[in-house]
Amino acid sequence: MEDPLLNFLVKFQNLVAKNVSITHLGVENVKSICALDIAYKGNIGYAVAVYFDGNKYEHYVFAGEVNFPYIPTFLFMREAPLMMKALEKYQDQCQLTLVDGHGLAHPRRSGIATVIGVLLNIPTIGVAKSRLFGEEVREGEETYIVVNGEKVGVKRGKYYFSIGNKVDLVDVITLSRLGYPEALKLADKISKEAKGKR
DNA sequence: GCGACAG
DNA sequence: ATCTTGTCGC
């Protein structure tokens, strides 16, 4: 890591990881959730925050320029800024926020879901479509994602669910059993529509 | 050196 | 993530 900026970002991630709070939220009793995703059209990113109160879905789009490149393990630099702006709309209304990407299933326990959760001090869970880091350990019916001997999430079907912040493994497992979150599907769909019509 | 590598 | 038609498979 001789690049000064990446060297700096690694220190930032280590600090974020040190401030993660792993506590039980009780996903089964959560009444409102938010979901974050983003789509691009050239260097313009369209971040979407979907809000679901258990009855109706709402959403908010925040578009802006994105110039930081995609570098594995540093995804948050490219997507977190716009996602956090989109989330401002519902931030104090949702009890749990789902982020497209990993949480603690990251080399430095600092995936985008964890970064957003720690910076905003809110409960988050990361839901990714493919693997980044951690070994997959099967124990009966569950396939855990293990990082440095610590179970940080589970793999369910083709998806990876991991602790972001202010939730615990039980919460992550409970959420994963409900299948891929509808709110995330909506966020993905809406972000693609947003960049489409331009 | 080689392979892996969220979106 | 994005570029993109048809096509193989559950």
Side-chain angles (χ1 to χ4, degrees):
Chain A
M1 200 66 70
E2 19 61 61
D3 181 322
L5 178 54
L6 296 189
N7 180 65
F8 175 83
L9 294 179
V10 164
K11 290 181 179 345
F12 174 79
Q13 291 179 315
N14 286 332
L15 179 60
V16 165
K18 207 187 306 178
N19 285 284
V20 172
S21 171
I22 300 181
T23 50
H24 187 62
L25 175 65
V27 168
E28 64 282 0
N29 296 313
V30 165
K31 301 302 179 188
S32 55
I33 67 167
C34 277
L36 266 27
D37 196 6
I38 185 171
Y40 303 87
K41 180 69 173 182
N43 63 328
I44 302 299
Y46 297 81
V48 176
V50 162
Y51 170 72
F52 181 58
D53 66 359
N55 191 24
K56 292 183 177 179
Y57 286 96
E58 281 180 46
H59 65 79
Y60 179 69
V61 180
F62 188 92
E65 197 171 326
V66 176
N67 291 306
F68 200 87
Y70 166 67
I71 303 174
T73 75
F74 296 106
L75 174 68
F76 80 99
M77 282 296 287
R78 191 173 158 73
E79 317 201 320
L82 295 181
M83 283 183 167
M84 285 166 69
K85 287 302 295 181
L87 182 60
E88 283 184 7
K89 179 87 172 180
Y90 309 111
Q91 192 174 323
D92 23 66
Q93 301 176 59
C94 36
Q95 306 173 333
L96 170 64
T97 296
L98 309 180
V99 183
D100 190 332
H102 295 286
L104 295 184
H106 176 282
R108 294 171 289 283
R109 300 172 82 250
S110 192
I112 189 170
T114 296
V115 172
I116 291 177
V118 171
L119 293 184
L120 300 179
N121 191 35
I122 59 174
T124 60
I125 288 179
V127 184
K129 305 177 193 65
S130 60
R131 196 194 88 93
L132 169 65
F133 186 78
E135 55 178 309
E136 297 171 20
V137 180
R138 284 205 54 170
E139 279 186 25
E141 299 300 277
E142 297 294 352
T143 297
Y144 296 98
I145 301 171
V146 180
V147 172
N148 294 324
E150 176 188 11
K151 289 175 182 168
V152 300
V154 292
K155 180 177 191 299
R156 175 95 47 213
K158 45 190 273 197
Y159 301 109
Y160 298 74
F161 297 74
S162 64
I163 296 171
N165 187 48
K166 291 192 159 185
V167 296
D168 64 11
L169 188 59
V170 173
D171 289 318
V172 173
I173 292 174
T174 300
L175 179 76
S176 75
R177 290 191 197 290
L178 302 176
Y180 191 75
E182 200 58 44
L184 277 175
K185 289 182 191 173
L186 256 179
D188 176 73
K189 178 168 174 285
I190 294 169
S191 63
K192 283 174 179 168
E193 291 176 345
K195 64 131 188 178
K197 54 179 182 180
R198 237 306 81 171

